[in-house]
Amino acid sequence: MNQVQQKQFELLSCFVRLCEKLDIPYYLVCGSALGAVKYGGFIPWDDDVDVGLLRSDYERFLREAPAHLPEGLFLQTFRSDPAYPNLFAKLRDDRTTFVEQAVAHLPMHHGIFLDIFPLDGYPEEPREQKRLERRKRRYQRWLLAAFDGRYSRYKLKTRLAVGLMRALGMHKRTAKILERYEKTVSVYDPNVSSVICNHGNWQGRREYAPRHWYGAGRAAVFEGLSVRIPSKAESYLIQKYGDYKVDPPPCEQIGHHVCIAVDTEAPYTVTERGRSRRLVCLAHYDLPDHADEERRVCHPAALSKCTYLFDCFVRLGYPLYILSASQTRGERTVGGSLRRLDEKKLLEMLPAWGRRGRVHNGIGRVLFSVRLFFRLMTLVGKGDTVWVYHSLGLMSVVRWLKCFKRFRLILEFEELYGDVRGIGSVSRRELGFARLADAYIFPTEALHERVNTKGKPYAVAHGAYTLPSVSGASEPERDGIHVVYAGTLDPHKGGVYAAMDAATHLPKGYHVHILGTGTPQQVRDMRTYLEQVKLACACELTYDGVLHGDAYSRFLQGCHIGLSTQDPRGAFNATSFPSKILPYMANGLRVVSARIPVVEQSRVGGEPVYYDEPTPTAIARAIRSVGPHDERRGPAVIAELDRAFLTDLKRLMDADTE
């Protein structure tokens, strides 16, 4: 069990004790019944607990249970909490926080909860059934007005219906609507009806089951706790979930509650005063298990930086909604998806057209940008904070969003792409866009001085201050001295070509590894050049592809020296930090770097071995000056940088509430 499930299990244990004390029968229903049958407890990715009581037992529980509840628990209904917009009850924990996106704006209890559903009967006459269904649909449409129309799971037509109902003022009449709704469905006694209905769960006829499926219930075990489930639980689960014995695909293994704040230790009242406002993250971000979609994503170093910053935000207590701006490079059109990465991170991928020709691709890019803009319009609200990883392709979308929405923009600004490409007009556009930001995260103080002319809040992170999760041998197991260049293959930066040229001046016993990514053409050009250089090398020179995660860390831990050999004459070096230095240090490598002011003046400036002339001879001389047994302080330095940055980031985020 994770921390949220542990709290929910405590609520379930309390509920079961109360029902036994009051002699009230109950059933585990929905996903909790599935979990009890299939897993003997929680579905691993589930994020709530569901129980059901026949209407008469439900009403008795609402009357008698409050007097027996332990301190710190609250029985929430539309009567005890008038802003609460559901037909069923919840047992809430006052000492916790679970703010769902769809109801975050409502002044109600937002603690971790257990759902308690009333189970009603159903009319026998077809005409009466149709009448009941019409009235149910009407009440449900009215109730939509109480929910936040930006809720990510709603379809467009549902969000439009929310807006219409709010315009009609239905959101101000929630309690009265629920009272009429409850009166309508509760007239049918489940003890005499042939069908039992869970009207509160909004899933239509999947929640209508023959009475004998529930029956007297039968015993089951839920995380070691003895509980009751429907007598014919298997039939109930097949109707509701189909073949429930087969797990859904990984992309669908997420909880169905979209939250903007979760805290198992702090009460929701404290969290709301502090950090409950949503943090939306926008970047070209993806996960390795989406490889079949061929999404266009950031460079590996940028992905590492994004992942590190996401973890830092979570460590500060901020739940994240990550919206990926990644399109596809393949010919196949890919659909969107929504998945929970962990308790506090949610990732949404938008649908994207496949690439099938210049005109088709151009239309696809335009449509994707329009879709992204409108998705942000529905997702971002007044007072929200939006973190954006700077990209040329996102500037127009974010600029337009700023015209329509009042939100706090934190810009992760790694480099001026115009400087990399040597195009001054692009750099000027980037600087103009940067002025829209309310706060910044930079890789260097030099970039801060150039971009942040208004002195807005900022923090500096040279890259991802992440220590590897795997640990190899203290000394590389391979023979010889292994040198690695891991970075971009972009010829504008020149680092990969300088590393290969230096190999021609290294003696036998050295092995230079090239790791990196680029466009298909850049990879082909690099491979061709590598084969030419190998003819003049006494040492070994190989291209080892692209590695990620633990595989990348293990590879680095088998090397002695990491190269940061980009052309120091490039304009981008005035402000951009070569982030490859950090994973080298984190994995215990000594670093050989061009003498660049942003590196020398950084917090790791005393660690690398520098060369002054960008020539193959000078680079090779610096490599040979490093002994394989030299002291490696890198991991300790990275850990200290992480602690310092987290303090700076907290100061930046707190500036929003001052």
Side-chain angles (χ1 to χ4, degrees), residues 153 242 319 375 564:
R153 294 284 181 88
R375 183 68 192 96
S564 177

Side-chain angles (χ1 to χ4, degrees), residues 172-375:
K172 300 177 182 178
R173 304 175 56 196
T174 301
K176 291 184 178 180
I177 294 170
L178 284 167
E179 187 174 352
R180 293 171 61 184
Y181 190 2
E182 183 181 71
K183 184 177 180 180
T184 298
V185 298
S186 63
V187 297
Y188 305 102
D189 187 353
N191 293 296
V192 298
S193 174
S194 62
V195 174
I196 290 180
C197 306
N198 181 355
H199 296 294
N201 208 20
W202 288 47
Q203 292 184 338
R205 294 189 178 274
R206 285 189 293 167
E207 291 291 351
Y208 297 2
R211 186 176 63 183
H212 70 274
W213 284 6
Y214 282 93
R218 76 172 198 247
V221 175
F222 191 93
E223 302 293 351
L225 177 69
S226 179
V227 295
R228 306 293 294 177
I229 61 175
S231 296
K232 301 288 185 180
E234 290 76 13
S235 299
Y236 167 84
L237 294 173
I238 289 172
Q239 174 175 281
K240 188 167 174 62
Y241 299 108
D243 189 357
Y244 66 89
K245 295 181 180 180
V246 177
D247 282 344
C251 63
E252 297 178 14
Q253 294 180 8
I254 59 173
H256 58 278
H257 295 281
V258 180
C259 299
I260 65 171
V262 178
D263 197 317
T264 59
E265 302 298 331
Y268 70 97
T269 49
V270 174
T271 307
E272 283 182 334
R273 289 196 297 270
R275 320 184 271 269
S276 68
R277 279 187 281 187
R278 168 175 26 213
L279 181 54
V280 177
C281 298
L282 177 62
H284 292 88
Y285 189 76
D286 199 4
L287 299 172
D289 55 3
H290 282 161
D292 61 316
E293 296 185 357
E294 299 183 83
R295 296 274 187 169
R296 299 176 65 90
V297 296
C298 303
H299 184 274
L303 286 176
S304 296
K305 182 75 172 287
C306 288
T307 301
Y308 171 69
L309 289 174
F310 295 160
D311 289 340
C312 287
F313 288 131
V314 168
R315 286 155 65 190
L316 291 178
Y318 292 89
L320 306 184
Y321 194 103
I322 305 166
L323 181 62
S324 175
S326 298
Q327 301 183 56
T328 181
R329 295 172 296 180
E331 295 183 359
R332 180 172 62 91
T333 295
V334 297
S337 64
L338 183 69
R339 65 179 301 178
R340 187 175 299 281
L341 305 184
D342 57 37
E343 289 182 22
K344 293 193 175 183
K345 295 199 287 286
L346 200 70
L347 171 64
E348 180 179 359
M349 309 293 296
L350 294 179
W353 271 21
R355 297 175 61 82
R356 300 172 187 169
R358 183 173 298 177
V359 174
H360 185 278
N361 296 346
I363 295 173
R365 284 193 296 270
V366 172
L367 290 179
F368 187 87
S369 295
V370 171
R371 183 190 295 272
L372 179 63
F373 171 73
F374 281 104
R375 183 68 192 96

